[in-house]
Amino acid sequence: MFSILFSKTTRTFLYRARVYPRNISSFSESKTKKTQRPKRIILIRHGESLGNVCDSAYVTTPDWRVPLTKKGIKQSFEAGEKLRDIIGEDGKVFFYYSPYMRTKQTMKELEHHISEDKIISVREEPRISEQQFGNFQNVEDVWEFKKERHEFGRFYYRFQSGEAGLDVYSRVSSFISTLVRDCQQYQKAGYDLDEINVFSVEEFEESINPDNAQLVVMEKRCHELHRWYELDEEHREALNLPKWCTKPRNVILHNLEAPLDANHCPKE
């Protein structure tokens, strides 16, 4: 789980581009420009899960559905207190969390201590999920694989039906560009809104396919400088999606109202 903390002001950073020609004379150029960078990046591990207590939990329960224990819920609640103190009075935070149940439960406990006016955005991000060790797991096999991984090397060892450390590195690296884009958008507009609603993994699992040749419509909406697309209510029901899936989560978070007719939006 990532939380990105922004301070109120935009700070000035010095960027230096060094050039080393093949001849002896090398030189450096520097220029100053304003950019909105997060004050800090905070990584938070989920609280104690059932899988941390008993490896056999993975035998009958998919890894992404393994919940927190009572101790894990308490740990997550206390982590929220620490996060609140770090954020302080003037800070704002942008949350990214994986679709795993234990991570979502941790996120829920953190939010008890962070007021809505301090939250820029909350986003479920599958690319920062934990390493995949396989589907329903045989405990003894996993122990053997982990022993073999220790001998082979953790980064390149690939679990059967799972991932190598290299795979995790690749998908998480692709997430970094999203993080940078969100920082830039926050600088431009004040906070970021998903233009198109991205459904959670659980919502995807409960949804159904459209009928053959069925149209699914998303209408453009706007509020001041912000633009997004909302799913038609009739089509949402046809896809068996929850009511809150009609519009992006961050539109709901910031209580934005939009004209019913997209033609009311100012020209971009």
Side-chain angles (χ1 to χ4, degrees):
M1 180 187 299
F2 287 81
S3 60
I4 313 300
L5 178 61
F6 291 88
S7 59
K8 271 190 172 180
T9 58
T10 300
R11 294 172 293 167
T12 301
F13 287 80
L14 188 64
Y15 285 78
R16 291 188 175 178
R18 293 186 179 273
V19 181
Y20 297 98
R22 293 186 178 180
N23 56 29
I24 299 177
S25 60
S26 64
F27 65 94
S28 65
E29 296 180 352
S30 66
K31 62 178 180 179
T32 303
K33 67 176 181 179
K34 287 186 177 181
T35 182
Q36 178 67 45
R37 299 292 187 189
K39 185 175 182 180
R40 60 174 63 90
I41 295 176
I42 304 169
L43 307 181
I44 306 173
R45 188 185 178 189
H46 60 76
E48 180 188 77
S49 74
L50 187 59
N52 295 139
V53 176
C54 180
D55 288 339
S56 63
Y58 301 108
V59 176
T60 56
T61 306
D63 191 3
W64 67 280
R65 286 181 170 167
V66 172
L68 293 179
T69 61
K70 290 183 179 180
K71 179 180 178 181
I73 292 174
K74 183 175 183 293
Q75 289 173 331
S76 302
F77 185 85
E78 292 172 348
E81 295 177 326
K82 296 176 182 178
L83 180 61
R84 178 195 60 203
D85 293 341
I86 293 174
I87 293 173
E89 292 296 326
D90 297 331
K92 291 184 178 291
V93 65
F94 199 132
F95 286 106
Y96 300 90
Y97 61 94
S98 83
Y100 278 40
M101 180 179 290
R102 51 188 177 271
T103 308
K104 294 169 71 173
Q105 289 176 317
T106 299
M107 181 70 224
K108 181 179 179 181
E109 296 303 316
L110 295 177
E111 287 183 301
H112 286 310
H113 303 284
I114 313 299
S115 58
E116 287 188 358
D117 63 307
K118 291 186 176 297
I119 300 176
I120 300 169
S121 181
V122 178
R123 182 172 302 168
E124 183 176 296
E125 176 53 73
R127 287 175 293 179
I128 59 174
S129 297
E130 296 186 29
Q131 183 175 2
Q132 307 299 296
F133 295 107
N135 298 323
F136 292 106
Q137 301 167 20
N138 181 294
V139 178
E140 293 180 357
D141 286 346
V142 172
W143 286 344
E144 188 62 32
F145 294 152
K146 287 186 176 181
K147 179 181 178 182
E148 187 177 63
R149 178 182 65 168
H150 179 73
E151 297 172 355
F152 184 87
R154 294 194 303 166
F155 189 74
Y156 289 108
Y157 182 84
R158 184 182 303 281
F159 287 86
Q160 293 184 12
S161 302
E163 291 182 304
L166 176 61
D167 300 320
V168 180
Y169 173 84
S170 297
R171 58 177 166 84
V172 173
S173 294
S174 71
F175 159 72
I176 300 301
S177 61
T178 299
L179 192 154
V180 172
R181 181 202 67 195
D182 289 342
C183 290
Q184 294 171 342
Q185 179 65 19
Y186 177 58
Q187 177 189 14
K188 177 182 178 182
Y191 50 79
D192 187 35
L193 298 174
D194 297 319
E195 290 187 354
I196 298 177
N197 195 4
V198 180
F199 309 131
S200 71
V201 172
E202 286 187 352
E203 290 158 357
F204 170 78
E205 293 288 348
E206 295 297 324
S207 69
I208 58 177
N209 288 335
D211 293 334
N212 295 119
Q214 178 182 346
L215 278 67
V216 177
V217 178
M218 301 183 73
E219 294 284 356
K220 181 180 179 181
R221 296 289 184 258
C222 65
H223 179 89
E224 297 179 352
L225 296 176
H226 305 292
R227 305 288 186 274
W228 67 90
Y229 290 85
E230 294 185 10
L231 180 63
D232 179 87
E233 182 67 22
E234 180 181 347
H235 297 165
R236 176 195 65 76
E237 293 179 356
L239 297 173
N240 195 39
L241 290 166
K243 190 170 183 178
W244 57 81
C245 288
T246 303
K247 60 182 68 175
R249 280 174 168 73
N250 292 320
V251 173
I252 299 172
L253 174 66
H254 293 285
N255 298 314
L256 299 182
E257 298 293 335
L260 294 178
D261 187 349
N263 292 325
H264 288 115
C265 294
K267 292 185 179 179
E268 300 179 39

